Amino acid sequence: MGLSALRGGVAFLTRLPVGGGEREWDAFRATPAIFPLVGYLVGALAALPFTLLSAVSQPGTVAAMYLGTLYLVTGITHADGLADVGDAAVVHGDTARRLDALKDSQTGVGGALALALSVVALALGAFGLATATGSPAVALRIVVAAEVGAKAGMALLVCLGTPAHEGLGSAVVAENDAAGLLPVAAVALPAVLVAPSSATPALVCALLSGPAVALLVRRWATGAVGGVSGDALGATNELGRVVGLHAGVVAWTAASTLF
């Protein structure tokens, strides 16, 4: 993994002003392990509001700050992918009609509903995390693990998927195969290491949620639109983050009750 690939990954997955051109893009799309690596960066930046847990007595304020920071760092490209998938998912008809809905720049009812539910669920997950843990260190670790897991899910799709149609997402998918999964796992694993024993179950659940969501998205995308597109990658990122955050909160609460 070179600096060119990392720069390309940050440019593709965030709005951070790192520059990057065709050389960085080509290096990134041939290196799927960059996905979870960028997840550490995004997760750490998005989790900054949770460091204020001790000073701010309102979990709702921390949750709102988390959402604002997250989308300031990442932009709405992947959220737009989720909206497109939502539109395609509600189409009645064959693959061609679903692909038309996927490519349509206008957001329909299915997309609006998918996006609204995602943002609400993410806000509730962040609120639950701020309320349940009460610890800035644990909350930050869970946010990072969920983000790394979401990006690992994108990498899994890249390694196991087949392109649905021409586009940026398909250019990444066509470049990789299952051999890239081992480096992805190696990069993602540190997200659950060196943690207090009480936090380990929460971190594992948060991390594994992204790949689990990716497998479900892959199954839907293969049957519904004939393969994995950039929109499917975006949907995996958004849904993987949401599920990861909630899974981390549930696992933390259960572990705290038991131990």
Side-chain angles (χ1 to χ4, degrees), residues 71 76-89 102 107 110-119 213 217 220 230-242:
Y71 288 111
I76 61 170
T77 300
H78 299 117
D80 182 65
L82 173 61
D84 288 340
V85 166
D87 283 335
L102 205 65
T107 300
L113 180 60
L115 192 56
L117 289 175
S118 172
V119 173
V213 167
V217 172
W220 173 84
D231 291 324
L233 293 176
T236 295
N237 181 70
E238 299 300 302
L239 296 177
R241 178 192 294 129
V242 170

Side-chain angles (χ1 to χ4, degrees), residues 172-187:
V172 181
V173 174
E175 191 74 20
N176 295 280
D177 55 33
L181 289 177
L182 185 58
V184 169
V187 172

Side-chain angles (χ1 to χ4, degrees), residues 2 7 49 56 58 63 70 72 75 80 84 88 90 94 133 136 149 156 160-161 182 194-195 205 215 225 256-257:
R7 188 178 178 187
V56 179
Q58 296 295 327
L70 176 67
L72 182 65
D80 182 65
D84 288 340
V90 300
D94 56 14
T133 62
L156 186 149
L160 298 182
L182 185 58
V194 196
C205 289
L215 291 175
V225 296
S256 298
T257 302

